[in-house]
Amino acid sequence: MDADKVIFVLLCITIPILTFEVLLLFFGHFYRYYSQKKLGRTMRMIERIVNQEEQQPASLLPEQIAYFDRDYRKDCLIEVLSKREDKRSNEYFIQKVNLQSYLLNKLNKSNGRNQAELIRNIGDLGSRKLSSKIWTYINDSNEDVRYNTILAISNCGDIEGMRYIFSEHYEKISLSYRALVEIISRYAGNLEELFLEIIELCDDYYKSIFIKTLAPYKCKSLADYYIRIASSSNVDLRIACIRALGQLEDNRHEAAIIKYCRDESWEVRAAVAKALNTMGNVNNTNVLMQALYDDNWWVRKNAAAAFVKTASSAEINMVLKGSDKYAIDALVSELETRGLQPKLEKVVSLESIEPVDLSRLAINN
């Protein structure tokens, strides 16, 4: 009897608990479903309003502006605007819906991770007016906040903000190579203008990163600057300038690159061969032929890639019939990579190859 009472009591306790948990799961699922449906409707409504404004600029009606009175709708609008590729008309929404005050108030009330996320949202909007309001966060004690502030200023194409960072706070910020590459790559303004504006504010390390990042954009107007600072005593800076000149794919800069083919640093010599390979049609193949006999493997490898691309069959056979095993290995490896099967024969001495006359390649800087 006592056991039956215990079972009865346990059932009386267990059944309500299980019932409550089932109801909780049901209502939780229903609430999530309802919230997602509501969010979906809100996002579609906002997208229609944004698309309408794109087709008919400055066309927001008072009731459409009033629609954004609720904070969660402002958040949805920010998400939609952040995903747009063309940020130019975002300023209109920021002004009409008063997103600036909304975001800055949230920013002042938050800290740490939330603050960094809000600053990132400001950057995604691409508003230069908003960008100028977050400069002070460059001095924040939180590293994430500082980094996202710099990234946001870059995203907004705020050249005054970038100048402010590298002139007033250059020594206070510490950015890794990858971080600086991301910041420069995300810049929404004119990269050439940014480069010329702040490059002299940087040390050689930052200069080399700037040049490496801009090189793929083939900014031909920067060629003279590359040539001028390629004579720097800093190896990384010399390499960056030489590679950037090669990526311009302009044979007029061939002499400026070949000037460093006998540099004391093998990294620079390898960069010369790589740049000539990138450039394509090299006029002076003797330089590449000489590089095939370099002491360093990377120099020989890069030279072989450029040599095979531009040299004549007679010049290629001259190396293959030579007695330098390392030069032959580099050339054969490149030929095989390109699907060619060279025939090796014993032949002439290396004296038959004319040395490069660097005096003919002198450049008037």
Side-chain angles (χ1 to χ4, degrees), residues 229-245:
I229 64 172
S231 58
S232 167
S233 59
N234 184 282
V235 171
D236 286 337
L237 192 52
R238 291 207 300 279
I239 291 171
C241 290
I242 290 166
R243 287 183 175 176
L245 284 170

Side-chain angles (χ1 to χ4, degrees), residues 184-199:
I184 299 169
S185 301
R186 298 277 290 273
Y187 183 69
N190 186 300
L191 282 171
E192 294 179 49
E193 183 185 0
L194 174 68
F195 179 88
L196 296 172
E197 185 72 31
I198 68 175
I199 193 66

Side-chain angles (χ1 to χ4, degrees), residues 25 125 189 251 255-256 364:
L25 287 172
L125 287 173
N251 286 88
N364 295 323

